[in-house]
Structure formats: C-alpha cells, structure tokens
Amino acid sequence: MLVTGVGILLSAVLAFAQTRPPAAATQVPRTSDGKPDFSGIWQALSTAAWDLQDHSAALFGTVGVPPGRGVVEGNEIPYKPEALEQKKQNFANRATEDPAFAKCLLPGVPRATYMPYPFEISQNPALIGIRYQFARAVRTIDLAGRSREWLKGWPDFWMGDSRGRWEGDTLVVDVRKLDERSWLDHAGNFHSEELHVVERYSFIDRDHIRYEATIEDPKVFTRPWKMTMPLYRIIDPQAEVFEWDCRFDQDSEKYKDAVPK
Amino acid sequence: MNVRLFVIGAAALAVSAASLSLPLRAVGQSAQAAAKPAIRRLPDGSPDIHGTWMRVGGGLNEANPPDSELKAFGVLSEPQGFGQGPVAAGPGGEVAEPRVPKYMPNPRPPQGIIDPADRVLPYTQEGRARRLDYARNMCCPAKSLAYLELSVRCAPPQPWAGGGVNIVQRPGQMAMFFEANHHTRVFYTDGRPHPSPNIRFFGGHSTGRWKGNVLTVDTTNLDGRAYFGVGNTFPPFSQELHLTEQFTVVSDRLITFVLTYDDPKTFTRPVKSAGFFYPANEDEELSPEMTCHEGSYSMQNIFGF
C-alpha cells in the first residue's frame, strides 16, 4: 500500500514536471506593459562583421580575420550580376574602404548588431534606444506607431529609421532610409539606398536572444535573404558600454602635427 | 457569507473612519494635493520622466568677458526666444512651419551662469593663460589641430550639450538619447562606483541617485579634451574636472537643473550654471539621426589631406 502510494505520488510529481514550462522560459523579463524586456547589454559572438558567409582566416591589420561559419541562410547572398562585380571591387579595396573597420564610420543596420563589441538596449513601452560601443552608434526604435511620413524628402540615415511593433513576444523592427554608404560586412557586401531590413528579436531564454534580419534590396539582390544568429547577454553586473569615438581618435592622430593650409 | 458584500462593507467602514478621525487635516491635505504639480512615478517611487524633452541652458557664456582680447569676439547671450521664429529651409528647399514650443515654461527658469552672480568666471592664472592662448590661436586659420573648434573636428558632444533628447529609464539606469550628433548620456543609479581614473572618456562617466524628486548626478573620468566652445569662453578643462548635476523634477512638464563645474586647475572655485528641460510637442519627433563625421570634409579642407 505504502509503495503504491509513493509510486502514485512520484508519478504525479514527474507528470507535473513534464507539463510545467521550462523554468528559463518563464523568467523572461517584462516591461510594465507585459512585453518582453530586452534591456541590458548584449553581444553577438560570430565573425559576421568580417564576413557574413563561410570564410577561412585571412590577413587584416596585425591580427587578421578569424575563420567562421556564415550566418546567411543557405550561405548564399543573391547578388544581381552587376552588383556582384561591385562587391568584388569592395572586397579588393576593403582594407582602406570599409567604412566601419577602416574609417570608423557608423556601421549601419544590421551590421551594428553583429560588430564584435557590446551594445546596450534601454526599453520602455514607447521607445527602445540602443547604444552600440562601436563609433558611438545609436538607434532609437519607435514603438508608439508614429508615422515616418514626415521624413519623406529627408536624406538617408547611416543607422536608418526604425519603427517597431510586437508580434506576440517577438519584437519586429522595420528599418528604412539606410544610407547606401554603409557596408554589411568587411568582405564588401553592400546595399543601395533602397535597402529594407526587417529585424526580429525573440528570447530563447532570459540570457539569449534569437536575432534574425531579412534583407531586401531590389537594386542589388535578386530576392530577399535572411541571416540569423544568437545574441548573448553580458551578465557581469558591472558591465557597461563605454564611449568610443574611434573616428575622432583617428583624426586626432592623423592631423596632430599638421598645419592648416 | 457573501464575500463581495463583506469587502464593500469593510471598505465603506474604513473610509468613514478615516473621515471622522481627521476631518480638518483631510481638507487641508486635499487643498495641498490639488496645489502640487502632477508627477508620474515608477514602481520604485522615483519620478517617471521618460519621453521627449528639450534641454536648455547649463552653458558658461559670460555676461562680460573681462579680458580685452576676448571682448573682440563679442558677447553671446543665452538664447532668447528659443525655438521660435523662422526655421532654416529643409533639404528640398521647403520651409517648415516655425516650431512653437507648446510647453516652454513661462516665466522661464534661470539659465546660464548663476554662481558667481556677476557671471564673470573665476579663472586660475593657468586657466586664464590657456584661455587667452586659445583665443589668440583659434582663428582664422587655427594655428593647429589643438586650436580647432571642437565642433569642426566632430568631437563627441560635451556632457553639457543641449537640444532635443529622448529619456528612457529602467531599474538602475537612466539613458538620454540626444538628437545632436548621436550623443548619449547614461546615469547609473544602481550604486556602482566610477571606473578607475586610468579609464577616461571625452564625456566622462556618470552615476546618479534619486532622493525624492531630485536626481543628483556625479560625473568624473573626463579626459580633459572637452571644453565649452564657441562664443566667449574657450579653454579646455583639465582632467580634474568634476561635474555635479542636480535635476529637480518640478512637474511632468518641467525639470530644472543646476550644473556645478569644479575644476581647480581652471577655476579658483566651483562655478554653477542653470537650465531646464521642457517636453517636446506631442506631435514632435526627434530626427532619427544627426551625424558629423559621416558628412564632414572640414578636416580635409582645412589641412589639405
């Protein structure tokens, strides 16, 4: 009788454990309006900033480009033939022409996400602000449903114009008006002013985000394509995204002994 | 027992008891409560100041710079009629409607130097010498890179930079996203210390603490390259600059602040400047981006390479 009772109790406990949601999924932080709260410091740990596709090690600066698996679905970036020639030219000149690694200019979207440096998300129900360590890059993502009509006729932005919405627990960010001068990686993958990026952020668990970016640019690519990667939370409570304006530092060094003409 | 009736009855009893016990004070409190401006609160009780604001003031333009050489640069007063009047044409040549700040406080709180009261900055001998050296050599052309106006160099904005700003708060931190030159400031309110003095930044490192409606922010670890440029005051601060800001949330539509600049190598005593934030119009959205390096050819044009 006792054994049977214990057995029944044990079975009940095991059944409860199996039907209960995984503990990590229930611990996702939420804002006051019940949405997943992505606030915190995050970093991608891929080599996508150097090359979005599969690549071997290569020389770059003093240390070089690390080898890595690509983050592109199918490992193919579907260039139009004439655009592919531009990409090859970019690749040949990347040491001096990469706007990010060579010139310390703003990395654009989505490259800012997978640069090998941390970024910090600050979120409230109406607005998300993201501060990237590289080049003091910043984005604000409107969540209040504001129209971007007033920006018609404005020049494009290096970090684009971002409008966010929720699909369940997934943050979907629509990014347009991206300045064509940014590159998608150090390998010379590029875009035109017609680039349209749709990002999707969703928690895998409280310390990991699944990040997906769909790239659409009918001037450069034959069809939309997608990249995915995890983002890792920096859990050190003392971690910060410090100020880093490497372009100002570059210019300060370049012109330190120069005389105005 | 009917639970709902019990709860209603208990609540009614509690309200009656409160009313009977302190009738006069309750009336007084109601009058005071009506007079107190509304302030939204976060769950921890601190003021909720998220939103889009305009920051005005906090600079160090003097009323009458005493040195005769500086007088040649003219006197710049604090901006008057801020946000009003004709606006510059847009990129397509169109002229927008003038911005009329709906929530500009009237009368305006103080802005600019408030201590010393005569608005003449108390420079040290070294600070004055640096200032005059700068004024002599900054224009035109500037003698060298070190004398170039910081805005021409697309320097990171100083911590006292103003303009439109989005404020986002979360536990342990307040972040300000400025419109101009993608400037951001972060105030950590979780009690963390500043980094070691071996780590320095153009805009320094800021920590803050709330006490009631006042946020006191302490900024150190500046690298000495920032200075309050343009106009009539020039010299770089030293690395010893220590900034203290007191932001007072007066209401949901007004935050005043006092900025104390304490730099014993530049000033003989701390100096203070005041300013305020007021909300942007509801239909007003800050520009997603204003860049400098990305569109500037100033350095190439000035130096020829």
Side-chain angles (χ1 to χ4, degrees), chain A residues 37 39-41 104-106 120-131 135-140 142 146-148 150-163 181 237-245 247-249 251-261, chain B residues 50-52 91-92 94 141-145 150 153-157 166-170 173 175 177 181-186 188 190 192-193 195 199-205 223 225 281-289 291 293-297 299-305:
Chain A
D37 186 355
S39 295
I41 300 178
C104 273
L105 298 178
L106 293 173
E120 183 167 33
I121 296 176
S122 299
Q123 178 177 339
N124 72 31
L127 188 81
I128 290 176
I130 308 182
R131 301 166 50 240
R136 295 194 301 111
V138 170
R139 295 167 66 189
T140 52
D142 174 73
R146 292 183 174 190
S147 165
R148 46 160 57 108
W150 68 280
L151 292 171
K152 271 188 181 162
W154 279 59
D156 290 338
F157 308 112
W158 280 72
M159 299 298 290
D161 170 53
S162 297
R163 308 280 154 164
R181 289 172 287 179
Q238 296 287 302
E240 299 181 31
V241 173
F242 286 141
E243 168 203 287
W244 184 25
D245 192 326
R247 178 60 181 226
F248 182 70
D249 294 338
D251 284 347
S252 298
E253 179 62 25
K254 181 178 177 183
Y255 296 107
K256 67 180 180 181
D257 297 322
V259 176
K261 61 177 187 180
Chain B
H50 85 267
T52 305
E94 69 281 4
K143 182 181 174 185
S144 66
L145 179 74
L150 280 178
R153 297 173 59 184
C154 290
N166 283 312
I167 295 179
V168 182
Q169 290 167 278
R170 59 185 182 88
Q173 192 207 73
F177 296 84
N181 201 3
H182 52 103
H183 175 44
T184 58
R185 293 191 70 194
V186 172
Y188 293 94
D190 58 2
R192 70 179 62 197
I199 310 174
R200 291 186 177 269
F201 314 98
F202 195 94
H205 180 273
D223 64 15
R225 293 183 295 176
N281 296 352
E282 287 90 348
D283 59 352
E284 199 165 7
E285 191 182 353
L286 299 182
S287 166
E289 180 179 284
T291 56
H293 292 306
E294 286 69 17
S296 174
Y297 294 91
M299 304 294 277
Q300 290 161 260
N301 291 340
I302 289 169
F303 293 104
F305 69 100

Side-chain angles (χ1 to χ4, degrees), chain A residues 28-216:
Chain A
V28 165
R30 295 188 179 268
T31 53
S32 58
D33 61 346
K35 301 299 184 191
D37 186 355
F38 296 108
S39 295
I41 300 178
W42 303 87
Q43 189 166 341
L45 297 180
S46 68
T47 56
W50 287 277
D51 197 329
L52 285 166
Q53 295 170 283
D54 292 345
H55 54 276
S56 304
L59 288 174
F60 171 66
T62 53
V63 177
V65 173
R69 283 200 180 88
V71 295
V72 177
E73 282 191 0
N75 201 46
E76 185 201 347
I77 298 179
Y79 278 104
K80 291 183 162 180
E82 62 277 15
L84 185 58
E85 290 310 305
Q86 179 63 55
K87 191 264 179 175
K88 289 176 182 173
Q89 202 176 327
N90 290 348
F91 182 82
N93 297 318
R94 64 197 185 283
T96 56
E97 297 307 308
D98 178 359
F101 280 141
K103 302 181 182 180
C104 273
L105 298 178
L106 293 173
V109 175
R111 191 178 185 186
T113 308
Y114 46 84
M115 289 294 277
Y117 312 107
F119 58 90
E120 183 167 33
I121 296 176
S122 299
Q123 178 177 339
N124 72 31
L127 188 81
I128 290 176
I130 308 182
R131 301 166 50 240
Y132 302 87
Q133 182 163 60
F134 184 79
R136 295 194 301 111
V138 170
R139 295 167 66 189
T140 52
I141 301 170
D142 174 73
L143 293 175
R146 292 183 174 190
S147 165
R148 46 160 57 108
E149 282 298 303
W150 68 280
L151 292 171
K152 271 188 181 162
W154 279 59
D156 290 338
F157 308 112
W158 280 72
M159 299 298 290
D161 170 53
S162 297
R163 308 280 154 164
R165 68 180 191 276
W166 293 98
E167 288 181 2
D169 277 354
T170 298
L171 173 66
V172 182
V173 184
D174 190 280
V175 192
R176 296 182 188 265
K177 288 192 74 67
L178 285 150
D179 195 297
E180 63 179 347
R181 289 172 287 179
S182 67
W183 284 8
L184 298 173
D185 62 15
H186 182 61
N189 287 302
F190 73 104
H191 62 89
S192 77
E193 73 281 3
E194 292 189 22
L195 176 64
H196 174 209
V197 180
V198 178
E199 301 172 295
R200 301 177 75 88
Y201 300 77
S202 54
F203 274 110
I204 300 169
D205 56 49
R206 69 169 293 121
D207 291 334
H208 303 89
I209 290 172
R210 181 178 188 276
Y211 175 77
E212 175 190 289
T214 301
I215 309 295
E216 186 178 359

Side-chain angles (χ1 to χ4, degrees), chain A residues 225-246:
Chain A
W225 51 280
K226 198 185 290 185
M227 65 178 80
T228 56
M229 67 196 76
L231 303 176
Y232 299 80
R233 186 191 291 277
I234 308 295
I235 63 171
D236 176 1
Q238 296 287 302
E240 299 181 31
V241 173
F242 286 141
E243 168 203 287
W244 184 25
D245 192 326
C246 52

Side-chain angles (χ1 to χ4, degrees), chain B residues 16-17 23 52 61 77 113 188 214 292 294:
Chain B
S16 301
T52 305
N61 279 332
S77 60
I113 300 173
Y188 293 94
V214 179
C292 194
E294 286 69 17

Side-chain angles (χ1 to χ4, degrees), chain B residues 8 21 30 38 45 72 74 76 94 104 111 120 206 213 216-217 258 286 305:
Chain B
I8 291 171
S21 63
S30 295
L76 284 189
E94 69 281 4
M104 171 70 79
Q111 49 184 112
V120 177
S206 300
N213 293 342
T216 301
V217 176
V258 174
L286 299 182
F305 69 100

Side-chain angles (χ1 to χ4, degrees), chain B residues 66-304:
Chain B
D67 296 289
S68 58
E69 287 193 60
L70 290 175
K71 280 193 193 300
F73 289 93
V75 172
L76 284 189
S77 60
E78 294 298 330
Q80 300 299 320
F82 180 77
Q84 296 169 359
V87 239
E94 69 281 4
V95 178
E97 291 295 317
R99 263 186 184 179
V100 179
K102 193 171 159 187
Y103 299 110
M104 171 70 79
N106 186 19
R108 283 202 210 158
Q111 49 184 112
I113 300 173
I114 56 173
D115 180 13
D118 63 358
R119 303 183 74 181
V120 177
L121 294 171
Y123 282 98
T124 60
Q125 204 167 355
E126 181 199 338
R128 186 174 303 285
R130 265 188 277 129
R131 179 196 212 192
L132 286 175
D133 176 61
Y134 205 90
R136 285 188 197 110
N137 293 295
M138 69 167 299
C139 186
C140 298
K143 182 181 174 185
S144 66
L145 179 74
Y147 293 98
L148 260 187
E149 169 63 46
L150 280 178
S151 61
V152 170
R153 297 173 59 184
C154 290
Q158 297 90 333
W160 44 88
V165 56
N166 283 312
I167 295 179
V168 182
Q169 290 167 278
R170 59 185 182 88
Q173 192 207 73
M174 186 165 86
M176 291 187 170
F177 296 84
F178 286 85
E179 186 175 45
N181 201 3
H182 52 103
H183 175 44
T184 58
R185 293 191 70 194
V186 172
F187 310 137
Y188 293 94
T189 56
D190 58 2
R192 70 179 62 197
H194 291 298
S196 108
N198 296 321
I199 310 174
R200 291 186 177 269
F201 314 98
F202 195 94
H205 180 273
S206 300
T207 59
R209 66 180 190 280
W210 282 101
K211 192 171 180 184
N213 293 342
V214 179
L215 175 67
T216 301
V217 176
D218 186 85
T219 301
T220 60
N221 297 71
L222 288 118
D223 64 15
R225 293 183 295 176
Y227 63 84
F228 36 105
V230 299
N232 56 24
T233 49
F234 309 108
F237 288 111
S238 76
Q239 286 195 356
E240 292 185 33
L241 175 63
H242 179 195
L243 288 171
T244 308
E245 292 158 286
Q246 278 214 315
F247 299 95
T248 301
V249 182
V250 177
S251 74
D252 284 342
R253 292 188 181 162
L254 179 63
I255 301 170
T256 60
F257 66 86
V258 174
L259 219 174
T260 302
Y261 299 77
D262 184 2
D263 184 349
K265 282 201 166 166
T266 303
F267 301 128
T268 57
R269 64 173 182 81
V271 299
K272 296 186 181 188
S273 178
F276 58 93
F277 293 76
Y278 65 92
N281 296 352
E282 287 90 348
D283 59 352
E284 199 165 7
E285 191 182 353
L286 299 182
S287 166
E289 180 179 284
M290 288 173 66
T291 56
C292 194
H293 292 306
E294 286 69 17
S296 174
Y297 294 91
S298 299
M299 304 294 277
Q300 290 161 260
N301 291 340
I302 289 169
F303 293 104

